[in-house]
Amino acid sequence: MRILVQKFGGTSLSTVNAREHVIDHIQDALEQDYKLVVVVSAMGRKGEPYATDTLLELVRHNGVELAARELDMLLSCGEMISAVQLCSLLQATGIRSTVLTGGQAGIQTNDVHGNAQIVSILPNRIIELLEQDQVVVVTGFQGKTSQGETTTLGRGGSDTSATALGAALKAEIVDIFTDVNGILTADPRIVEDARPLKRVSFIEICNMAHNGAKVIHPRAVEVAMQANIPIRVRSTFSKEEGTLVTAGDTIHHEANHVADRFVTGIAQFTNITQIQVGAVEGQFDLQLRVFKTMAQHQISVDFINVNPSGVIYTVFDHETDRAIQLLKSQGYEPKALRGCAKISVIGGGMNGVPGIMARIVEALTEEDIRILQSADSNTTIWVLVQGEDMIKAVRALHNKFYLAK
């Protein structure tokens, strides 16, 4: 069977007009002789009746913190409503379809409620339904334990459901439908001439997702990468092909033209605090004590620079006060610079290419932007800047690497 997995997010299902576009995409896939699995998220976003955040508000007013098991039962309702609504529309259109919960679809997880990990997928029931020429609508974001308990997969759960099912079914491709037409070279709210990318590698989109691009969750990409299942990131409201994500690198052929780029895109994270802790003379365990303290209190650290005179690292702004208090309790006098932004320059083609960092420094210096820290890997260079410089920095780097062309 030629199997296609389509995933539709909350904005794709929240209005009558949007759902009509969803039906169109499903009909297009069936006309191409695909056997079709459709994964859905809860309808809408915060404030809309069946959105996940709205469901949470139902119990928050009661003044008691609901246990994680029962919370998962509540949160799984949003996807069930979406799935049954879509099934009803398909049947009204004359398309045979069946709804399966994540557990019924064979998604087995561990028992970590609220952030469960997929252990295995047994897609036998899906395959039986596909052989009967039915569209199988699966509730994303959820699975079940070996004891039959409902679990949810945490952030990006529906994306992960889609790519995991694609891997288990050996799908030809997984389509992730969103409200934007693919993956762009930068956030279009910041860079007006941000350009849609026709093709990126798994590694590039993983880095973009980890570093602030919100089109697809990195967990989902990692699952697809391990199984080598291509992903297309597409707009629900367009027939365009969007962005193809594959194992290929940034050198590829399109219409007999070879496109070779060093930098693929720019991403950003905001609301970050830089913390500096200086070492006292003769004190050699500073690094161990600082990072062990952060780990023991579940404070995530990033952008780490270690040298004989001390350590510099970042935390999220909302963790700053707690981090400072813990460091002072250890006898340190940390310095904190709040409200910073981490800018990422991402590209699989930059590895081994001289001059990339020089161009980054040049772009930021021309805009009088001070670099507070930097780090690099084979495919990404990060710089930390003050928050008020974030927009200028993203635009300057986008221009410097000619990403609009």
Side-chain angles (χ1 to χ4, degrees):
M1 292 188 289
R2 293 181 66 221
I3 296 174
L4 173 67
V5 177
Q6 294 179 330
K7 180 264 176 177
F8 294 97
T11 56
S12 300
L13 299 160
S14 59
T15 67
V16 172
N17 177 59
R19 291 191 288 270
E20 288 174 353
H21 285 284
V22 170
I23 298 296
D24 283 345
H25 285 297
I26 291 172
Q27 289 175 322
D28 286 347
L30 294 174
E31 288 171 4
Q32 296 173 54
D33 294 324
Y34 280 113
K35 303 294 187 180
L36 192 57
V37 178
V38 179
V39 177
V40 296
S41 297
M43 289 190 288
R45 290 180 175 168
K46 186 174 182 180
E48 297 182 64
Y50 308 115
T52 300
D53 287 329
T54 305
L55 295 174
L56 283 171
E57 290 299 320
L58 291 174
V59 295
R60 281 178 176 159
H61 295 302
N62 296 333
V64 176
E65 188 170 336
L66 195 63
R69 175 184 177 274
E70 282 67 35
L71 201 57
D72 270 355
M73 294 176 70
L74 171 66
L75 296 182
S76 66
C77 293
E79 280 71 23
M80 290 185 191
I81 293 168
S82 287
V84 173
Q85 165 79 308
L86 180 58
C87 180
S88 174
L89 290 171
L90 288 171
Q91 291 181 0
T93 313
I95 298 172
R96 297 174 64 221
S97 60
T98 297
V99 173
L100 299 179
T101 65
Q104 291 168 342
I107 299 176
Q108 296 192 354
T109 74
N110 61 17
D111 58 1
V112 180
H113 287 284
N115 193 29
Q117 300 290 311
I118 296 174
V119 175
S120 65
I121 296 183
L122 305 172
N124 297 358
R125 191 167 177 188
I126 294 178
I127 293 170
E128 289 174 6
L129 291 167
L130 293 177
E131 288 173 342
Q132 297 168 20
D133 293 326
Q134 296 211 43
V135 171
V136 183
V137 183
V138 180
T139 57
F141 179 61
Q142 61 186 249
K144 71 175 182 180
T145 67
S146 57
Q147 289 77 38
E149 298 282 356
T150 297
T151 54
T152 61
L153 306 181
R155 294 193 61 183
S158 292
D159 289 349
T160 305
S161 298
T163 55
L165 286 170
L169 292 163
K170 296 181 172 56
E172 192 171 302
I173 201 161
V174 175
D175 279 341
I176 305 291
F177 286 94
T178 72
D179 53 1
V180 296
N181 189 30
I183 299 161
L184 304 182
T185 51
D187 187 335
R189 294 168 299 181
I190 296 173
V191 180
E192 290 184 359
D193 57 356
R195 178 176 56 85
L197 293 161
K198 292 291 185 185
R199 180 169 174 170
V200 296
S201 68
F202 286 125
I203 293 173
E204 287 174 320
I205 191 55
C206 260
N207 283 326
M208 292 178 79
H210 276 299
N211 288 292
K214 296 180 172 62
V215 175
I216 185 171
H217 198 276
R219 279 174 68 187
V221 180
E222 286 160 4
V223 170
M225 180 166 56
Q226 290 170 14
N228 199 23
I229 302 292
I231 301 171
R232 283 185 301 200
V233 179
R234 306 178 61 189
S235 170
T236 304
F237 308 97
S238 167
K239 296 287 189 177
E240 294 184 28
E241 291 295 308
T243 302
L244 177 65
V245 185
T246 69
D249 58 22
T250 54
I251 301 176
H252 56 277
H253 293 79
E254 289 178 3
N256 298 319
H257 174 70
V258 177
D260 184 359
R261 61 177 183 262
F262 301 134
V263 172
T264 299
I266 313 295
Q268 74 283 335
F269 260 123
T270 56
N271 302 318
I272 295 170
T273 296
Q274 182 193 59
I275 295 177
Q276 299 185 47
V277 187
V280 178
E281 188 175 349
Q283 185 181 57
F284 302 107
D285 62 349
L286 176 138
Q287 293 92 344
L288 174 62
R289 291 178 62 189
V290 166
F291 294 121
K292 190 172 183 180
T293 298
M294 297 296 103
Q296 287 173 340
H297 292 85
Q298 301 295 305
I299 297 176
S300 177
V301 301
D302 190 22
F303 228 141
I304 301 164
N305 292 146
V306 177
N307 58 68
S309 62
V311 297
I312 304 174
Y313 62 98
T314 61
V315 300
F316 291 114
D317 280 350
H318 69 270
E319 295 279 27
T320 302
D321 290 339
R322 196 158 64 98
I324 294 300
Q325 183 180 8
L326 289 166
L327 291 168
K328 287 184 175 180
S329 72
Q330 295 286 323
Y332 299 117
E333 291 296 330
K335 297 178 181 178
L337 181 60
R338 301 172 192 256
C340 296
K342 176 184 177 183
I343 314 295
S344 306
V345 179
I346 300 156
M350 70 168 65
N351 186 25
V353 177
I356 301 294
M357 187 63 191
R359 290 174 70 179
I360 292 172
V361 173
E362 182 179 51
L364 299 183
T365 300
E366 288 170 351
E367 296 292 332
D368 296 322
I369 297 171
R370 186 162 65 100
I371 298 175
L372 304 172
Q373 271 179 267
S374 68
D376 67 275
S377 72
N378 286 342
T379 58
T380 308
I381 296 175
W382 301 273
V383 292
L384 189 72
V385 301
Q386 292 184 318
E388 58 264 31
D389 291 329
M390 184 270 288
I391 291 175
K392 279 200 306 181
V394 171
R395 289 173 177 169
L397 292 168
H398 196 268
N399 288 335
K400 180 60 70 173
F401 289 99
Y402 306 107
L403 294 181
K405 296 183 179 180

